[in-house]
Amino acid sequence: MTSHDPGAKIISIPTLKAACQECSLNGICLSLGLGEADMKSLAGAIKSRRRLKKGEYVSRMGDPFRALYAISSGSTKTCEIAADGGVQITAFHLPGELLGLDAISAERYPSDIVALETTDLCELPFERLEALALEVPGLQHQLFRIMSREVLEEEKLLLMLGRMSAEERLAAFLLNFSKRHQQLGSSPTELRLPMSRQDLGDYLGLALETVSRLFSRFQEEGLIRVQGRQIKLHNLAKLREVTQHLPASPAARA
Amino acid sequence: MTSHDPGAKIISIPTLKAACQECSLNGICLSLGLGEADMKSLAGAIKSRRRLKKGEYVSRMGDPFRALYAISSGSTKTCEIAADGGVQITAFHLPGELLGLDAISAERYPSDIVALETTDLCELPFERLEALALEVPGLQHQLFRIMSREVLEEEKLLLMLGRMSAEERLAAFLLNFSKRHQQLGSSPTELRLPMSRQDLGDYLGLALETVSRLFSRFQEEGLIRVQGRQIKLHNLAKLREVTQHLPASPAARA
DNA sequence: AACATGATTTGATAAAGATCAAATTCATAT
DNA sequence: ATATGAATTTGATCTTTATCAAATCATGTT
């Protein structure tokens, strides 16, 4: 987290009204590690805010890429769609996270990004952001870090999809979601999932029925309490154990 | 590809000897889209070359991050290792590709990167690269593109692991490998795989036996010819069909 | 409040792929 | 060339999870 003094509200230009310094996420998003003057520049790069209702699209596959979006509040799912109609959700994004990083290279959105609930976005025109990154010290590095982090997150998901059992995947998801909730200042044990069982299945590479059965099983085992999308985590340590259940042959590999 | 005249060899400073302009990949790697003067700057940023033998490590999980590596010749695998010892290979990299993008954010390598055969690397100290990206027009953008592309590639793999059958995964891998071979100027139908069946399984989320059986099946069906790691693709169109086999219910989803 | 619609849970069965096991082929060093 | 160990192939069986089906539970609407 950054250490901007929230008391020092000197700036009040209209363009900044809806910008980073007023954002409740100040310090989580792009601005991490930037000085106050740089924050002003960044705020100037924000084109506008968009409010989406549940089910509305941030982007559709094939849309031309012009801007990244930072989530100010709410949440989204990113859906990759196969030629055969199969859906793979590659990420759920929460406030402070950046959308559209996968669209830079082809200048087209490769996926549908859909709001899971009412969601507020900051639109960051990419050309302006790039120009700014050449001038604001630290911003370029920050962008590299954020993109690198996205690569890393996806690698963790690859590990889950390729090598973990259904049980391990759901436990890992719950722990990850818990951690992110906590980083946003919410309870790490009282989760309100914004996505359906179907979404969760499409993310974890499982059938929705399997996801549902696992929730029931975890509840029977006393690990969690399930009330629809309201989940209480009773035992984080045991959930962590579940993610690490040793495979049959723990032998080292070449 | 760029259009540098290979006949115009004006530069011969030692530091450039082993650098981009002399590289057989000129134009594929970072330099894509840069002018000749910028290429010189880039070449200056290259610290050194490293030659690795089969099985040697580019990085080990936890190593401090200081540099990206560009593959000049050879190939690598990137192995994510789970707490329980399970291995997931998140990428195979070929000449012209950049290694270490996932290490920027934490300033540590999150994975083992291993040479699959004798492999030559260019070491690009990241601090120098970042400084250069602030000065050389287009280099920052190029780096953003490359990182975005990495995100995209991983999303494709996520789709494979989460939603495709074993058959579809192997067919998709063969087509992808074929395309990259072709882009490097090799035959798109005569492949020499540098990785073992075990590696392929660890990449595709399958048991090595399943991979082996699929090779045999594809051969029986006349799609390919298998001689160990030497693979001849007989029918690219049919392989493409295999990747698109419709699932039981092609119904649209919410 | 009753209804309609979609989401979730639970059950029964089937299929895909993992695992265990063994034979065969390949590669490398002597 | 030959031996040795690793990689690959093939077979038999078992587990996990998908699929199909139906009941129940929410949610929002008129």
Side-chain angles (χ1 to χ4, degrees), chain A residues 38-212:
Chain A
D38 297 334
M39 290 279 287
K40 277 201 231 178
S41 306
L42 184 58
I46 292 174
K47 188 177 166 193
S48 64
R49 293 209 157 212
R50 269 171 78 184
R51 165 160 288 191
L52 299 182
K53 284 196 283 247
K54 181 176 169 171
E56 288 183 338
Y57 286 74
V58 179
S59 69
R60 281 170 191 274
M61 198 178 128
D63 280 358
F65 168 74
R66 292 201 199 82
L68 297 175
Y69 296 91
I71 301 184
S72 165
S73 72
S75 56
T76 62
K77 62 178 174 182
T78 302
C79 312
E80 209 77 12
I81 293 155
D84 63 3
V87 173
Q88 176 64 39
I89 293 178
T90 56
F92 295 118
H93 283 295
L94 296 182
E97 297 173 354
L98 228 44
L99 306 174
L101 298 175
D102 55 2
I104 296 170
S105 71
E107 298 187 68
R108 304 221 154 255
Y109 277 89
S111 43
D112 289 346
I113 305 181
V114 185
L116 291 170
E117 59 195 312
T118 300
T119 295
D120 287 316
L121 302 175
C122 300
E123 186 177 337
L124 305 166
F126 189 62
E127 281 194 12
R128 241 190 277 180
L129 201 57
E130 276 191 308
L132 209 59
L134 291 175
E135 290 171 10
V136 173
L139 181 56
Q140 183 193 73
H141 184 69
Q142 186 61 8
L143 284 166
F144 286 145
R145 276 178 56 104
I146 288 171
M147 295 191 71
S148 170
R149 195 178 165 78
E150 186 85 1
V151 175
L152 207 54
E153 291 300 324
E154 287 188 351
E155 282 174 5
K156 281 191 201 143
L157 187 51
L158 283 171
L159 186 58
M160 281 170 66
L161 295 185
R163 285 294 158 223
M164 288 171 120
S165 69
E167 202 176 42
E168 292 170 314
R169 290 182 212 183
L170 184 60
F173 165 78
L174 288 172
L175 287 168
N176 174 271
F177 203 80
S178 159
K179 197 170 81 183
R180 286 154 76 195
H181 248 242
Q182 188 171 31
Q183 282 163 354
L184 290 173
S186 309
S187 164
T189 56
E190 294 281 359
L191 308 181
R192 165 143 215 98
L193 303 181
M195 72 292 285
S196 69
R197 301 291 191 255
Q198 173 75 64
D199 287 339
L200 231 25
D202 287 345
Y203 177 71
L204 298 173
L206 301 170
L208 70 95
E209 296 94 330
T210 303
V211 174
S212 177

Side-chain angles (χ1 to χ4, degrees), chain B residues 14-28:
Chain B
T15 44
L16 291 188
K17 277 242 171 90
C20 302
Q21 301 212 318
E22 302 248 338
C23 179
S24 62
L25 293 168
N26 189 342
I28 292 181

Side-chain angles (χ1 to χ4, degrees), chain B residues 104-123:
Chain B
I104 295 170
S105 71
E107 299 187 68
R108 302 219 157 257
Y109 277 89
S111 43
D112 288 346
I113 306 180
V114 185
L116 291 169
E117 60 196 309
T118 300
T119 295
D120 287 316
L121 302 174
C122 301
E123 185 176 337

